[in-house]
Amino acid sequence: MQLNVLVLPGDGIGPEVTAEAVRVLKHVAARWGHNLRLTEGLLGGVAIHQTGSPFPEETAARALEADATLLGAVGLPEFDSAPPAQRPERGLLGIRKTLGVYANLRPVRAYKALLDSSPLKNDIVDGTDLIIVRELTGGIYYGTPRGISGSGPEERGVNTEVYTRAEIERVARVAFELARRRRKKLTSVDKSNVLETSQLWRRVVSELAAEYPDVTLEHILVDNCAMQLILNPRRFDVLVMPNLFGDILSDEGAVLAGSIGMLPSASIGDRRPSGAWVGLYEPVHGSAPDIAGQGKANPLAAIGSVAAMLEYSFGLTEEAGAVNRAIEAVLESGRVTADLKPRGRPATTVEVGQAVVDAIDSKS
Ligand code: NAD
């Protein structure tokens, strides 16, 4: 398969963790006989330094040509007091908008070796393997009217939740198709007992279910979902939800996995003519300036983002599974970075990347 991938290392630990993710991606491509075309671009603080813009036009053009984009992290302390438009983080909004990614995917896997890092009891977290699909470009974060007006006791704040049928359908399709490739169970999250937008959401998702007879659909109210995620996370496979609910529940999901250095994410848009889903893949963590350049950064979230790319953008489930199993093997070996309770001397970023490559060979 032809894999056209743009790499945006960004700032801080971004270049260190993406270097290891790329090492793994190259190894997978060579081992399974895929033709990997890698390009690199500037985003964030490094882009401001070299071009004056956090999101140069050249980067936008390259992202539109690529099937998938792998991003490290952006943000440098020297820009902390800069106005929003001149901050590295503005580059993130730019690339998301350019790619038109409307579905944010947060896979949450409870690795056995990290069960003790979760604040929940081991027997609750063990076996958790779910994906939260959050609608990313609509809902209450974008609806109008919005604003604060008036004064005194009459001063009022207004936000508006709006969803169109088309917006609900496209994100629900991503979720149905993911479920189809996994355990074939989709949970749609809403607040349809109170909100009209949620009533439309529930109706549209239910209608779409007729096109996916192999997927079992259930609906759950968001308040119950918040409870079930920590009472019985194993019951979930794929969850789909509006922007606001996804923002909150994806952080709750993150707690299940144990460490911020372990969390990958994917943002998905429409399909390219090749069949690949346009996708932006990045670790959930930031640029961690406190440990940048010291070889201490945990690259497993970035490497997990490569697994997500292989699975979601390219449909390469065998390769993605091999990367995920290799991550698990490295965690079990205890040769991990300082943030994950290593056995003995903490491993460096490069050593962890190489260990994943070695584990792909020994486990596949
Ligand atoms: P952060 O995620 O960068 O760091 C929080 C803490 O977690 C730090 O102590 C850091 O050392 C640790 N950490 C993070 N990733 C790690 C890893 N892979 N391995 C080991 N330890 C890790 O969050 P922050 O400190 O709030 O933000 C730093 C900068 O990153 C800011 O400029 C912020 O705006 C930016 N940021 C960017 C993104 C992104 O690029 N998507 C996301 C969040 C924050």
Side-chain angles (χ1 to χ4, degrees):
M1 190 171 184
Q2 178 68 39
L3 313 178
N4 297 320
V5 177
L6 171 66
V7 182
L8 303 172
D11 306 319
I13 61 169
E16 298 166 57
V17 296
T18 43
E20 298 317 307
V22 166
R23 183 198 299 276
V24 170
L25 184 57
K26 282 182 176 166
H27 187 73
V28 167
R31 196 182 159 94
W32 273 269
H34 301 299
N35 189 9
L36 176 64
R37 198 175 133 249
L38 282 173
T39 44
E40 200 166 297
L42 296 170
L43 189 83
V46 62
I48 298 176
H49 280 307
Q50 291 192 30
T51 71
S53 161
F55 183 51
E57 278 173 23
E58 177 78 25
T59 301
R62 288 184 189 179
L64 288 171
E65 277 168 21
D67 291 325
T69 298
L70 177 68
L71 169 62
V74 298
L76 291 174
E78 68 203 75
F79 293 106
D80 278 354
S81 49
Q86 285 153 35
R87 287 179 61 113
E89 291 82 349
R90 184 51 69 99
L92 284 178
L93 300 182
I95 182 116
R96 287 176 186 154
K97 193 159 174 235
T98 298
L99 288 174
V101 285
Y102 50 78
N104 182 248
L105 279 51
R106 288 264 199 106
V108 178
R109 290 190 67 197
Y111 292 101
K112 279 204 188 311
L114 294 183
L115 288 182
D116 287 338
S117 315
S118 171
L120 299 180
K121 292 195 179 91
N122 288 4
D123 62 322
I124 289 183
V125 185
D126 194 12
T128 299
D129 179 5
L130 58 86
I131 299 184
I132 293 178
V133 181
R134 165 188 172 190
E135 199 289 324
L136 199 58
T137 54
I140 197 162
Y141 291 176
Y142 294 92
T144 52
R146 63 185 299 157
I148 300 176
S149 60
S151 60
E154 298 307 314
E155 187 174 11
R156 63 199 299 258
V158 174
N159 288 97
T160 305
E161 163 114 335
V162 187
Y163 270 115
T164 63
R165 170 177 283 274
E167 283 175 317
I168 300 167
E169 256 187 37
R170 65 183 185 177
V171 70
R173 274 189 199 286
V174 170
F176 271 113
E177 292 192 24
L178 280 174
R180 181 168 261 182
R181 295 192 209 153
R182 292 170 46 98
R183 302 195 303 278
K184 302 188 184 350
K185 182 171 175 195
L186 177 62
T187 305
S188 175
V189 182
D190 63 41
K191 188 71 185 169
S192 58
N193 53 344
V194 179
L195 301 175
E196 281 79 1
T197 47
S198 274
Q199 285 164 8
L200 179 67
W201 180 282
R202 189 175 281 218
R203 179 150 54 80
V204 171
V205 175
S206 298
E207 285 169 17
L208 216 53
E211 291 180 38
Y212 301 90
D214 50 329
V215 176
T216 305
L217 171 67
E218 68 166 2
H219 299 280
I220 188 169
L221 295 176
V222 61
D223 37 352
N224 187 19
C225 186
M227 207 163 60
Q228 296 299 326
L229 266 174
I230 48 171
L231 283 177
N232 185 11
R234 273 191 301 272
R235 79 188 283 262
F236 296 114
D237 179 11
V238 180
L239 301 98
V240 63
M241 60 196 77
N243 204 341
L244 174 64
F245 302 158
D247 192 1
I248 298 165
L249 293 187
S250 59
D251 274 21
E252 192 187 359
V255 174
L256 300 166
S259 163
I260 187 154
M262 289 304 304
L263 291 169
S265 84
S267 300
I268 301 283
D270 284 328
R271 283 185 190 278
R272 291 263 196 264
S274 64
W277 261 329
V278 172
L280 175 65
Y281 299 86
E282 53 184 315
V284 168
H285 64 71
S287 57
D290 53 330
I291 56 166
Q294 300 171 35
K296 289 181 180 169
N298 179 357
L300 292 176
I303 294 171
S305 300
V306 162
M309 174 189 289
L310 292 167
E311 183 170 351
Y312 309 143
S313 267
F314 300 116
L316 299 173
T317 42
E318 184 188 329
E319 290 84 335
V323 174
N324 282 325
R325 279 194 302 281
I327 290 174
E328 188 139 28
V330 169
L331 289 172
E332 275 160 19
S333 77
R335 290 283 295 132
V336 291
T337 43
D339 54 309
L340 294 180
K341 295 189 191 143
R343 266 175 233 140
R345 172 183 74 80
T348 63
T349 311
V350 173
E351 285 169 344
V352 173
Q354 187 56 49
V356 172
V357 164
D358 295 343
I360 288 173
D361 287 342
S362 61
K363 294 265 158 190
S364 312

